[in-house]
Amino acid sequence: MDGRAFKTISPATEEVLAEVTEAGPADVDRAVSAARQAYEHTWSRLPGAERAKYLFRIARIVQERARELAVLESLDNGKPIRESRDVDIPLVAAHFFYHAGWADKLEYAGYGPVPRPLGVAGQVIPWNFPLLMLAWKIAPALACGNTVVLKPAETTPLTALAFAEICQQADLPPGVVNIVTGAGETGRALVTHPGIDKVAFTGSTEVGKEIARACAPSRKKLTLELGGKAANIVFEDAPVDQAVEGIVNGIFFNQGHVCCAGSRLLVQESVYAEVLAALRRRLETLRLGDPLDKNTDVGAINSAAQLAKIRELSEVGEAEGAQRWSPPCELPVKGFWFPPTVFTGVSQAHRIAREEIFGPVLSVLTFRTPAEAVEKANNTPYGLSAGVWTEKGSLILWMASRLRAGVVWANTFNKFDPASPFGGYKESGYGREGGRHGLEAYLDV
Ligand code: NDP
């Protein structure tokens, strides 16, 4: 060990939860060597059916330890236990089950009769869905026969460390999964390491671009899942109450710390007043507070830095002339908190309509025709997701074929499934995760 350590705190109380090792270049080097050894001598030589057994075992252990993992995730991240218990952890198990199913069927995936793994994958993940992002990265890599070195985010390392324990519990051969904890420097040491064959990154567009530049002169295969500024589009024939639930889920789920969050609401002008009134009524019922209380809807902001960014952009929104509204809501004294916030009177030029706020802040715009909705929705450097609310199936198809977004949800939002590929257009990144398409990122094709 290089010997340094950092503290990880509960964003809800600012209490120190644990001290965690900060991996330096020598640690990263050791982890990459361990992954290489395991790749050459063990993992890539195992038949797919044998690799599948380990993945099934990991999935089962995640299910068995689901409560513990959900509590740990909510403590370290600040997200409501209802979400970590009902969304994050079940999806983690689902990803391992799904990819266990692929491990012995790769020759049927459409990538040739004997698709080969790439080698050692260096993976860097963010803090918004710590264990779920780990599962998105590790499950397909292992299923395809690669070994991995993964760095969790500095503010949320605990479930990744619990996962390392789960790998031991599953008797996974040593070196197949390596977790290195640390901050951005550790991530940089990992993605620039010459012993890595593939880099997978989820996080900000800024860091994604830096990684793309660092990988460009090498032969490393790269996938990037970056930011978003999704449009959630409500047409006049949409059932209002259902759409309001989708709007709330789209932007207030996980405090809006979601790359595919529906952070721009586009409402057809004829139903604007009705939708806004219903949305405000609904927001008055949201409960903000203790992430470990199962009645909590909105938890803590993940870090002081993220809170400062949300505050700053919200102030910019007001200064640019948009109207700010939040339901009456008492914020806890300790910890990092921001109330659910809605901006109306937003124009496309406003920064709050263009930049990823990554918090519980919704910008509302209007449109008159489907063509105008498409134009506004696509008027962004991002292209990760979009939502369409209408009773007309033909309109859904018309919109979906014109929206430049990797995922288009119809009459729902933020629905995830391991069988469904996820990824972006434009500055939201490249490559897909999940489904048959996601395997391509970990195969030499
Ligand atoms: P980052 O992109 O900085 O962090 C993502 C991961 O990359 C973390 O593990 C981070 O480590 C690591 N990292 C940071 N710098 C480097 C580097 N140079 N080389 C390799 N790895 C690196 O996101 P932030 O947490 O700083 O959030 C900033 C903004 O990014 C947010 O406000 C939000 O707008 C956006 N974001 C988007 C996400 C998405 O899924 N689309 C996810 C997270 C953030 P460490 O955490 O230790 O710094």
Side-chain angles (χ1 to χ4, degrees):
M1 295 290 163
D2 285 5
R4 289 190 306 273
F6 61 95
K7 294 182 171 65
T8 184
I9 63 169
S10 152
T13 61
E14 295 174 62
E15 189 188 333
V16 175
L17 297 171
E19 258 197 29
V20 181
T21 301
E22 185 178 339
D27 298 310
V28 171
D29 206 36
R30 269 202 293 278
V32 173
S33 303
R36 175 65 55 195
Q37 285 279 326
Y39 175 73
E40 303 282 351
H41 302 295
T42 321
W43 198 246
S44 67
R45 296 177 178 216
L46 281 185
E50 289 302 310
R51 294 199 303 273
K53 285 184 196 166
Y54 288 103
L55 292 173
F56 273 123
R57 218 180 277 164
I58 289 171
R60 293 290 297 273
I61 299 172
V62 167
Q63 286 184 321
E64 280 162 22
R65 295 179 59 172
R67 284 298 162 107
E68 172 200 348
L69 294 170
V71 170
L72 196 57
E73 197 76 303
S74 282
L75 276 173
D76 206 16
N77 170 281
K79 66 172 72 200
I81 186 78
R82 203 159 45 81
E83 292 177 5
S84 46
R85 185 196 62 191
D86 298 346
V87 182
D88 295 52
I89 308 303
L91 277 172
V92 170
H95 270 269
F96 280 97
F97 277 125
Y98 176 80
H99 287 96
W102 268 121
D104 63 347
K105 300 174 196 70
L106 294 173
E107 62 267 41
Y108 305 108
Y111 301 113
V114 196
R116 293 167 52 79
L118 291 166
V120 177
Q123 308 177 315
V124 177
I125 56 170
W127 41 262
N128 53 347
F129 293 92
L131 196 60
L132 184 56
M133 289 301 104
L134 174 149
W136 280 29
K137 297 275 177 285
I138 293 184
L142 263 47
C144 293
N146 307 275
T147 57
V148 305
V149 182
L150 177 135
K151 190 198 88 67
E154 183 186 9
T155 58
T156 54
L158 297 185
T159 45
L161 293 173
F163 182 81
E165 215 179 82
I166 288 173
C167 292
Q168 288 173 330
Q169 208 182 329
D171 273 334
L172 193 72
V176 174
V177 168
N178 304 271
I179 307 292
V180 288
T181 45
E185 272 310 306
T186 309
R188 187 178 283 125
L190 176 57
V191 300
T192 55
H193 196 288
I196 297 283
D197 302 297
K198 192 242 155 29
V199 173
F201 172 77
T202 297
S204 63
T205 296
E206 193 189 339
V207 173
K209 284 180 181 174
E210 186 186 324
I211 292 176
R213 278 193 293 272
C215 291
S218 73
R219 291 177 55 207
K220 289 173 193 164
K221 195 163 168 176
L222 175 64
T223 40
L224 298 172
E225 201 264 274
L226 311 174
K229 191 73 190 175
N232 204 357
I233 306 163
V234 179
F235 284 96
E236 59 191 1
D237 64 339
V240 171
D241 289 341
Q242 203 181 317
V244 164
E245 286 311 308
I247 297 164
V248 170
N249 175 262
I251 185 63
F252 301 115
F253 169 65
N254 203 32
Q255 296 71 247
H257 299 329
V258 184
C259 46
C260 52
S263 52
R264 284 185 300 150
L265 173 64
L266 302 187
V267 192
Q268 198 154 18
E269 221 169 73
S270 47
V271 289
Y272 172 77
E274 187 188 354
V275 170
L276 251 283
L279 178 62
R280 287 192 169 137
R281 274 198 305 278
R282 178 68 178 91
L283 293 187
E284 279 165 6
T285 69
L286 289 184
R287 296 182 201 207
L288 176 146
D290 182 3
L292 292 183
D293 181 336
K294 66 183 191 302
N295 296 309
T296 292
D297 300 302
V298 181
I301 300 303
N302 181 251
S303 65
Q306 189 58 31
L307 179 59
K309 183 184 165 190
I310 297 168
R311 282 185 176 149
E312 187 207 324
L313 272 168
S314 299
E315 279 157 24
V316 168
E318 276 184 297
E320 287 183 328
Q323 288 85 56
R324 176 177 182 163
W325 179 87
S326 288
C329 145
E330 212 170 293
L331 300 183
V333 183
K334 284 217 119 183
F336 315 128
W337 303 92
F338 198 84
T341 299
V342 177
F343 276 100
T344 50
V346 179
S347 88
Q348 293 194 81
H350 286 164
R351 278 180 66 192
I352 53 168
R354 290 186 285 120
E355 292 179 30
E356 186 176 48
I357 301 175
F358 224 63
V361 181
L362 179 68
S363 301
V364 186
L365 297 96
T366 58
F367 68 92
R368 288 185 184 165
T369 63
E372 187 187 344
V374 168
E375 197 160 316
K376 285 187 166 163
N378 288 342
N379 183 14
T380 163
Y382 297 113
L384 198 51
S385 64
V388 178
W389 297 82
T390 169
E391 284 200 330
K392 291 193 193 76
S394 56
L395 183 55
I396 290 171
L397 294 174
W398 190 89
M399 293 291 292
S401 64
R402 285 163 178 79
L403 290 168
R404 305 297 292 159
V407 180
V408 179
W409 285 293
N411 295 324
T412 187
F413 210 92
N414 275 341
K415 279 264 182 289
F416 305 100
D417 190 289
S420 176
F422 185 90
Y425 281 68
K426 301 191 276 185
E427 292 198 16
S428 291
Y430 40 78
R432 293 291 178 266
E433 292 185 291
R436 187 187 68 80
H437 301 77
L439 300 172
E440 189 180 337
Y442 291 96
L443 292 171
D444 188 11
V445 290

